[in-house]
Coordinates of all heavy atoms in Angstrom, one line a residue:
V19 N 135.9 160.4 120.0 CA 137.2 160.3 120.7 C 138.2 159.5 120.0 O 139.3 159.8 119.8 CB 137.0 159.8 122.2 CG1 138.3 159.4 122.8 CG2 136.2 160.8 123.0
L20 N 137.7 158.3 119.5 CA 138.5 157.4 118.7 C 139.0 158.1 117.4 O 140.2 158.0 117.0 CB 137.8 156.1 118.4 CG 137.5 155.2 119.5 CD1 136.6 154.1 119.1 CD2 138.8 154.7 120.2
F21 N 138.1 158.9 116.8 CA 138.5 159.6 115.6 C 139.6 160.6 115.9 O 140.6 160.7 115.2 CB 137.2 160.3 115.1 CG 137.4 161.1 113.8 CD1 138.1 160.6 112.8 CD2 136.9 162.4 113.7 CE1 138.3 161.3 111.6 CE2 137.0 163.1 112.5 CZ 137.7 162.5 111.5
A22 N 139.5 161.4 117.0 CA 140.5 162.3 117.4 C 141.8 161.7 117.7 O 142.9 162.1 117.3 CB 140.0 163.1 118.6
L23 N 141.8 160.5 118.4 CA 143.0 159.8 118.7 C 143.7 159.3 117.4 O 144.9 159.4 117.2 CB 142.7 158.6 119.6 CG 142.4 158.9 121.0 CD1 141.9 157.6 121.7 CD2 143.6 159.5 121.7
A24 N 142.8 158.9 116.5 CA 143.4 158.4 115.2 C 144.1 159.5 114.4 O 145.2 159.4 113.8 CB 142.3 157.8 114.3
I25 N 143.4 160.7 114.5 CA 144.1 161.9 113.8 C 145.4 162.2 114.4 O 146.4 162.5 113.8 CB 143.1 163.1 113.9 CG1 141.9 162.9 113.0 CG2 143.8 164.4 113.4 CD1 140.9 163.9 113.1
G26 N 145.4 162.1 115.8 CA 146.7 162.4 116.5 C 147.8 161.4 116.1 O 148.9 161.8 116.0
I27 N 147.4 160.2 115.9 CA 148.4 159.2 115.5 C 148.9 159.5 114.2 O 150.1 159.4 113.9 CB 147.7 157.8 115.6 CG1 147.4 157.4 117.1 CG2 148.6 156.7 115.0 CD1 146.6 156.1 117.2
V28 N 148.0 159.9 113.2 CA 148.4 160.1 111.9 C 149.4 161.3 111.8 O 150.4 161.3 111.2 CB 147.2 160.4 111.0 CG1 147.7 160.9 109.6 CG2 146.4 159.1 110.8
V29 N 149.0 162.4 112.6 CA 149.8 163.6 112.6 C 151.2 163.3 113.1 O 152.2 163.9 112.7 CB 149.1 164.7 113.4 CG1 150.0 165.9 113.6 CG2 147.8 165.2 112.7
G30 N 151.2 162.5 114.2 CA 152.5 162.2 114.8 C 153.2 161.0 114.2 O 154.2 160.5 114.8
S31 N 152.8 160.6 113.1 CA 153.4 159.4 112.5 C 154.4 159.6 111.4 O 154.7 158.8 110.5 CB 152.3 158.5 111.9 OG 151.7 159.2 110.8
G32 N 155.1 160.8 111.5 CA 156.1 161.1 110.5 C 157.2 160.1 110.4 O 157.8 159.9 109.3
L33 N 157.5 159.5 111.5 CA 158.6 158.5 111.5 C 158.2 157.1 111.0 O 159.0 156.2 110.9 CB 159.2 158.4 112.9 CG 159.8 159.8 113.4 CD1 160.4 159.5 114.8 CD2 160.9 160.3 112.5
L34 N 156.8 156.9 110.8 CA 156.4 155.6 110.4 C 156.6 155.4 108.9 O 156.7 156.4 108.2 CB 154.9 155.5 110.8 CG 154.5 155.6 112.3 CD1 153.0 155.5 112.5 CD2 155.3 154.6 113.1
S35 N 156.5 154.2 108.5 CA 156.7 153.8 107.1 C 155.5 154.3 106.3 O 154.4 154.4 106.9 CB 156.9 152.3 107.0 OG 155.8 151.6 107.4

Side-chain angles (χ1 to χ4, degrees):
V19 169
L20 292 175
F21 182 44
L23 287 173
I25 291 175
I27 292 172
V28 170
V29 171
S31 64
L33 298 178
L34 299 178
S35 63

